[in-house]
């Protein structure tokens, strides 16, 4: 049989990550990943934008790069430049913006141009699991620095930088998610940002700023981006439309000066990010982005309130968390005897998916009692039912909460 003749297992390169499991379906109570609210996807607006832009310039799909070059569709880059100037205080031209296939591609590109095995990077001790996995795969040394209620701790960062300097190590970058941190959902103050920028200069270490959730701050104006507080190239900035419009569009952006950008373009080897998505998004966002995210924020805040109420009802004081400043996640701490990796496995058998804290921390053991819950995707009633099921599973295995969810009612 042909299948036996071609056993790819023998041919695979030896340093591949583990094989993927086959996808079956989303669990009913899906609190993992960064999925968004289904009813908030602006379907009608996207249909209208698609019709308008395709009628006007659909024939430009005949070219790679839509007559806009490798940085991406120019009207979308112009929109991003205006948005970054207005919201984040970043003064950059459309020619300093690269449209990427999600901000994940931005992460990969920056890592590919900067990191070799054995290099060192500094990241927040609680951080995006996808960033940790990538860094591990690259054979990079990861130094985790504590996060407090104001985001990345500047005093701990200084200690880490001093320690590395003493050992003759210059980290390649400091990776931070300052605005609606993942997973803690804190928003770093401008004063803290200034301290971190100061350390970046003092120790000659660039900052890699990930602003995936910056459009989803509940109240008031968001602080300036780190990139918006400096006039030099110290900060590489990435952002995304995944959390503001829809993750399946796979569109994000990267801001960098030409010396770095020209090297990044040299390895962005996909022939350009999805052109139709870029055209539709540019057309839609020009007039509708602001009002769309205003409404989305209200929807997400409502869902967060439902999740908080469900946790208080089902877990009582056993579940500890801060009220997030924005975003789509709640970062929860359970009592010491709970192992959330085990809880994740058991909960999945009851149709409840959660992200265990160990995957969101540089020191996996320190995340054992933590879990991350995404409240954006499930409808409100599903959030209530899912948290009730989670409490039942947790009570059965760990006697947490002390009374079963049913007795609570
Ligand atoms: C902090 C952070 N950065 C980047 C990403 C990647 O997002 P995307 O590739 O959809 O833009 C995520 C996804 O959840 C994230 O949480």
């Amino acid at each position: 049989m042909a299948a036996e003749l071609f056993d790819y297992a023998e041919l695979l390169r030896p340093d591949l990550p583990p094989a993927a499991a086959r996808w079956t379906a989303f669990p009913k109570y899906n609190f993992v990943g960064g999925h968004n609210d289904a009813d908030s996807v602006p379907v009608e607006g996207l249909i209208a934008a698609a019709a308008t832009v395709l009628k006007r310039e659909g024939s430009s799909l005949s070219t790679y790069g839509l007559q806009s070059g490798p940085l991406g569709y120019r009207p979308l880059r112009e929109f991003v430049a205006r948005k970054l100037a207005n919201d984040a205080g970043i003064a950059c031209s459309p020619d300093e913006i690269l449209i990427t296939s999600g901000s994940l591609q931005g992460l990969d590109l920056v890592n590919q141009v900067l990191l070799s095995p054995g290099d060192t990077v500094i990241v927040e001790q609680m951080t995006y699991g996808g960033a940790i996995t990538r860094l591990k795969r690259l054979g990079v040394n990861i130094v985790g620095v504590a996060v407090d209620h104001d985001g990345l701790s500047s005093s701990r960062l200084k200690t880490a930088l001093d320690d590395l300097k003493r050992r003759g190590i210059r980290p390649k970058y400091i990776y931070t998610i300052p605005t609606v941190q993942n997973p803690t959902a804190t928003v770093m103050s401008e004063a803290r940002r200034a301290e971190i920028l100061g350390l970046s200069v003092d120790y000659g270490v660039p900052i890699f700023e990930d602003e995936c959730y910056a459009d989803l701050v509940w109240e008031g104006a968001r602080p300036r981006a780190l990139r918006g507080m400096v006039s030099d190239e110290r900060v590489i900035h990435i952002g995304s439309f995944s959390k503001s419009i829809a993750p399946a569009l796979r569109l994000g952006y990267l801001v960098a000066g030409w010396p770095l950008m020209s090297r990044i373009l040299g390895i962005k080897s996909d022939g350009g990010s999805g052109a139709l998505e870029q055209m539709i998004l540019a057309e839609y966002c020009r007039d509708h982005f602001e009002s769309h995210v205003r409404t989305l924020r209200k929807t997400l805040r409502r869902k967060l309130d439902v999740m908080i109420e469900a946790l208080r009802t089902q877990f009582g004081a056993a579940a500890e968390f801060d009220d997030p400043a924005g975003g789509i996640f709640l970062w929860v701490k359970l009592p010491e005897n709970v192992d959330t990796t085990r809880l994740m496995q058991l909960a999945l058998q009851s149709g409840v998916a959660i992200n265990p804290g160990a995957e969101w921390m540089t020191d996996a053991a320190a995340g054992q009692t933590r879990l991350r819950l995404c409240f954006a995707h499930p409808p409100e009633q599903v959030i209530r039912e899912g948290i009730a099921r989670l409490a039942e599973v947790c009570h059965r295995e760990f006697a947490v909460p002390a009374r079963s969810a049913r007795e609570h009612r």
Side-chain angles (χ1 to χ4, degrees):
M1 290 279 291
E4 281 150 21
L5 276 178
F6 293 97
D7 179 3
Y8 282 99
E10 296 168 0
L11 305 174
L12 296 173
R13 44 188 276 191
D15 57 348
L16 285 178
R22 271 188 209 281
W23 190 81
T24 45
F26 282 132
K28 176 159 185 205
Y29 305 101
N30 189 7
F31 300 124
V32 299
H35 308 295
N36 217 320
D37 179 61
D39 293 338
S40 297
V41 176
V43 176
E44 292 304 323
L46 294 174
I47 291 170
T52 306
V53 74
L54 278 173
K55 272 190 204 133
R56 196 180 62 228
E57 47 192 284
S59 61
S60 66
L61 285 163
S62 61
T63 57
Y64 286 93
L66 299 169
Q67 314 280 4
S68 286
L71 289 172
Y73 183 52
R74 188 160 182 100
L76 185 58
R77 287 188 281 125
E78 286 167 350
F79 169 76
V80 172
R82 277 198 304 278
K83 167 175 140 51
L84 289 176
N86 292 338
D87 301 349
I90 298 178
C92 67
S93 86
D95 292 331
E96 292 167 291
I97 296 170
L98 170 67
I99 302 298
T100 55
S101 303
S103 52
L104 271 179
Q105 189 182 39
L107 266 173
D108 283 335
L109 291 170
V110 169
N111 285 344
Q112 278 175 56
V113 293
L114 292 182
L115 303 182
S116 304
D119 278 344
T120 296
V121 297
I122 294 181
V123 309
E124 288 153 345
Q125 212 168 53
M126 302 170 189
T127 190
Y128 172 42
I132 300 177
T133 326
R134 283 171 163 69
L135 293 170
K136 283 189 175 156
R137 209 177 286 160
L138 290 168
V140 164
N141 301 318
I142 305 171
V143 175
V145 170
V147 175
D148 60 24
H149 292 283
D150 203 6
L152 178 63
S153 160
S154 46
S155 58
R156 299 291 193 87
L157 176 61
K158 184 172 183 334
T159 307
L161 287 164
D162 276 336
D163 179 50
L164 290 167
K165 193 173 179 183
R166 213 172 305 118
R167 290 155 50 204
I169 298 169
R170 183 182 174 198
K172 284 289 180 79
Y173 62 62
I174 300 160
Y175 172 72
T176 176
I177 311 165
T179 312
V180 190
Q181 210 264 352
N182 181 0
T184 60
T186 56
V187 175
M188 191 188 284
S189 65
E190 280 205 18
R192 176 68 64 82
R193 289 172 198 240
E195 287 166 12
I196 292 191
L197 287 166
L199 291 170
S200 151
V201 177
D202 293 349
Y203 292 84
V205 181
I207 294 174
F208 185 8
E209 170 179 53
D210 184 344
E211 289 234 300
C212 200
Y213 301 93
D215 296 309
L216 302 182
V217 178
W218 308 139
E219 306 262 327
R222 45 144 305 168
R224 277 181 299 165
L226 288 152
R227 172 93 192 180
M229 294 173 70
V230 292
S231 53
D232 55 38
E233 293 299 325
R234 205 179 318 164
V235 184
I236 307 164
H237 180 100
I238 58 171
S240 179
F241 288 99
S242 288
K243 316 301 164 173
S244 53
I245 306 285
L249 287 173
R250 306 309 304 129
L251 285 180
Y253 48 87
L254 184 154
V255 183
W258 185 245
L260 188 65
M261 187 66 94
S262 57
R263 307 313 297 257
I264 287 174
L265 283 179
I267 54 164
K268 189 175 186 291
S269 55
D270 57 3
S273 296
L276 199 50
E277 290 85 342
Q278 294 188 62
M279 292 166 84
I280 295 169
L281 203 58
E283 196 70 20
Y284 174 79
C285 287
R286 199 180 50 223
D287 295 328
H288 303 296
F289 185 81
E290 268 310 311
S291 62
H292 167 73
V293 289
R294 245 195 323 274
T295 310
L296 175 64
R297 281 195 289 263
K298 286 194 190 121
T299 303
L300 294 175
R301 177 70 238 195
R302 225 176 20 251
K303 284 189 155 185
L304 168 62
D305 288 339
V306 169
M307 178 166 275
I308 289 178
E309 190 195 303
L311 281 167
R312 294 212 166 114
T313 305
Q314 302 296 337
F315 281 84
E320 294 174 44
F321 48 84
D322 288 333
D323 196 345
I328 58 176
F329 303 119
L330 199 56
W331 181 235
V332 180
K333 185 173 183 327
L334 294 176
E336 290 307 316
N337 67 309
V338 178
D339 174 353
T340 52
T341 301
R342 171 102 185 109
L343 178 62
M344 182 249 320
Q345 290 154 356
L346 295 170
L348 207 49
Q349 292 165 17
S350 294
V352 184
I354 60 166
N355 285 121
E359 292 171 10
W360 257 254
M361 293 195 69
T362 52
D363 173 7
Q368 185 210 293
T369 64
R370 307 253 185 187
L371 67 151
R372 196 192 69 163
L373 297 168
C374 174
F375 51 80
H377 187 59
E380 294 181 9
Q381 189 49 27
V382 176
I383 294 178
R384 291 189 192 95
E385 288 171 18
I387 297 299
R389 279 200 180 203
L390 182 65
E392 273 175 30
V393 174
C394 195
H395 173 74
R396 260 201 320 272
E397 183 71 9
F398 301 106
V400 169
R403 289 181 304 150
S404 79
R406 253 191 247 347
E407 289 167 78
H408 264 288
R409 276 181 230 129

